[in-house]
Amino acid sequence: MVVGPVEVVVDPALTIQLLAWLLAGAALGTLSGLVPGLHANNFALLLAGFAPSVPGPPLFVGCAMLSAGVVHTFLNAVPAMALGVPDAEMAVTSLPGHRMVLEGRGYEAIRLSALGSVLAVLAAVPLAVPVTQAVTAIYPTLMANLPLVLAMVVVALVASERTWRGRGAGLLSFALAAGLGALTLDLSPDAPLEAGGTLAPLFAGLFGAPVLIDAIFGSGIPPQDDDAIALSRPLLGATAVAGALAGAVVGYIPGISAAIAAVAVLVLVPGGAGDRGYIVATSGVDTANTIFALFALVAIGQPRTGVMVAFESTDAPLELPILVAGVVVAGLIGFVLVIVLGDAYLEFVGRTTYWKISAAVLALLLALSFLFTGVLGIAIFVVAAAIGMVPVRLRARRVHLMGVLIGPLILGV
């Protein structure tokens, strides 16, 4: 169907209508992104539940779903930095981002995340077609050797610890998280909201709860300094493109989440990038995934993300010119929103008694765990929180906890 895109470009009324739908989707993505611990797939499946009943042209409703998903990937970085409670896709970057906030560099961290996301969107658009061709060509070989590839990533991450004690702690953390994932990822417990599986309590417990528990006894967020970015432009561009390319892997290969791709990015990012490079690259993974998942839907007819499931539920036509334009516009909206709202979010948290915020967010995570996975979700959250404390107390990097996803894939369970 070719008429639709031409119509929207030529008819100002339709263009304004499309922009209104994009803004409505951006508002939903903003609300979901700022809720600590709300996993993107849970949010997307909630969208899929009500999207078919939304009155309006399916193409515009579909654009609103995509806009909500894109803006969510921008805003979910804010609670990960201010509170240390990540969306699953932000789990790897949560510690570097939160650490920068504690160093008084929160404004810079927010801008690095925003730049990583928006540059990844701009890089993903021209890369989408050639990457689609390349990935579909190597798909059979990659899938045949996927456990080996993931095992190599795990070995590289454990070996990157500076001491043997750190390597042992990393291996223990990985093994515990992998065991937890193998036992819980495939569960479908009865819950008040039918919006996904056990990812919400798993990631809230592994990555969010340990930070919040320690924060109850901490001194809160210090005053934040200026927002100057201490990362060279070439390195900034390179890490954003690395994130965009990793987002392509997420978009096309089943079973690979943005968090797993982010682990690979951490291995590939130049050493001089440090925490700042991690934030840029992993933010790029999360956002670029939306564009590549859209192209994967067109190329192979399979929705690879919760957002794509929500999009498919609208029965929207696959009008790539309009859909890609909508994603780019949503990315620009998200870029502005994350800077404006992110700064205000940090200021609000800085003015509030931190132990009260930490306790309130812990209660919220428990409530979300119950809403998405019932009573079993609370048990999963508690066990995940205990495992999440292992690398913290043994002085290893928490990235090893990504074994909750990587381990079951390696074992084929």
Side-chain angles (χ1 to χ4, degrees):
M1 181 176 174
V2 183
V3 179
V6 176
E7 255 185 346
V8 172
V9 172
V10 173
D11 190 335
L14 287 176
T15 303
I16 292 172
Q17 188 180 357
L18 174 60
L19 182 59
W21 281 97
L22 291 173
L23 289 172
L28 287 174
T30 299
L31 291 174
S32 68
L34 292 178
V35 174
L38 180 58
H39 181 257
N41 277 346
N42 294 118
F43 166 63
L45 292 172
L46 286 174
L47 287 181
F50 81 84
S53 61
V54 176
L59 179 59
F60 289 171
V61 177
C63 284
M65 298 300 104
L66 291 178
S67 177
V70 170
V71 173
H72 178 101
T73 67
F74 277 80
L75 272 296
N76 63 2
V78 176
M81 293 176 184
L83 303 170
V85 184
D87 181 313
E89 279 69 22
M90 298 305 296
V92 180
T93 194
S94 61
L95 182 55
H98 191 60
R99 184 159 56 226
M100 287 187 67
V101 170
L102 296 178
E103 294 170 354
R105 304 298 304 170
Y107 297 147
E108 180 191 359
I110 284 173
R111 280 152 182 77
L112 286 168
S113 176
L115 283 169
S117 289
V118 78
L119 289 175
V121 168
L122 298 177
V125 171
L127 288 173
V129 172
V131 168
T132 297
Q133 296 172 339
V135 172
T136 51
I138 65 171
Y139 177 83
T141 303
L142 182 61
M143 291 307 297
N145 297 281
L146 185 59
L148 177 62
V149 173
L150 293 177
M152 291 172 62
V153 171
V154 174
V155 170
L157 286 171
V158 172
S160 68
E161 292 286 351
R162 296 180 179 178
T163 65
W164 282 106
R165 176 179 175 176
R167 293 172 191 136
L171 193 58
L172 174 63
S173 302
F174 177 87
L176 291 172
L180 181 62
L183 291 173
T184 60
L185 277 176
D186 289 334
L187 297 178
S188 299
D190 292 330
L193 296 178
E194 294 183 4
T198 55
L199 282 178
L202 280 173
F203 278 89
L206 288 171
F207 293 97
V211 174
L212 293 168
I213 291 169
D214 285 343
I216 290 176
F217 306 100
S219 56
I221 289 180
Q224 301 298 302
D225 296 330
D226 65 87
D227 56 9
I229 293 176
L231 189 66
S232 68
R233 290 183 179 180
L235 199 50
L236 178 63
T239 50
V241 171
L245 291 173
V249 176
V250 178
Y252 292 104
I253 308 301
I256 302 293
S257 74
I260 293 177
V263 173
V265 169
L266 297 191
V267 178
L268 298 174
V269 163
D275 286 351
R276 291 169 173 84
Y278 292 169
I279 293 170
V280 172
T282 49
S283 297
V285 171
D286 198 14
T287 305
N289 175 31
T290 305
I291 290 181
F292 288 112
L294 175 61
F295 276 79
L297 181 62
V298 174
I300 58 179
Q302 295 291 327
R304 294 300 191 204
T305 67
V307 172
M308 288 300 110
V309 172
F311 173 82
E312 268 205 325
S313 72
T314 67
D315 293 324
L318 291 172
E319 302 282 9
L320 273 180
I322 282 195
L323 297 175
V324 172
V327 167
V328 172
V329 171
L332 296 175
I333 294 171
F335 177 77
V336 175
L337 286 174
V338 74
I339 293 176
V340 174
L341 297 180
D343 287 358
Y345 202 102
L346 277 179
E347 291 171 8
F348 171 77
V349 171
R351 292 195 305 266
T352 310
T353 306
Y354 203 62
W355 75 265
K356 293 181 179 178
I357 293 180
S358 300
V361 175
L362 271 173
L364 174 62
L365 295 182
L366 278 170
L368 287 173
S369 298
F370 174 76
L371 287 174
F372 291 132
T373 44
V375 175
L376 181 61
I378 295 178
I380 292 173
F381 174 83
V382 172
V383 174
I387 293 175
M389 297 298 292
V390 172
V392 177
R393 294 293 179 259
L394 297 181
R395 305 298 182 189
R397 289 183 297 151
R398 289 190 293 176
V399 69
H400 304 293
L401 296 173
M402 292 311 304
V404 72
L405 295 179
I406 300 178
L409 282 172
I410 293 176
L411 298 174
V413 298

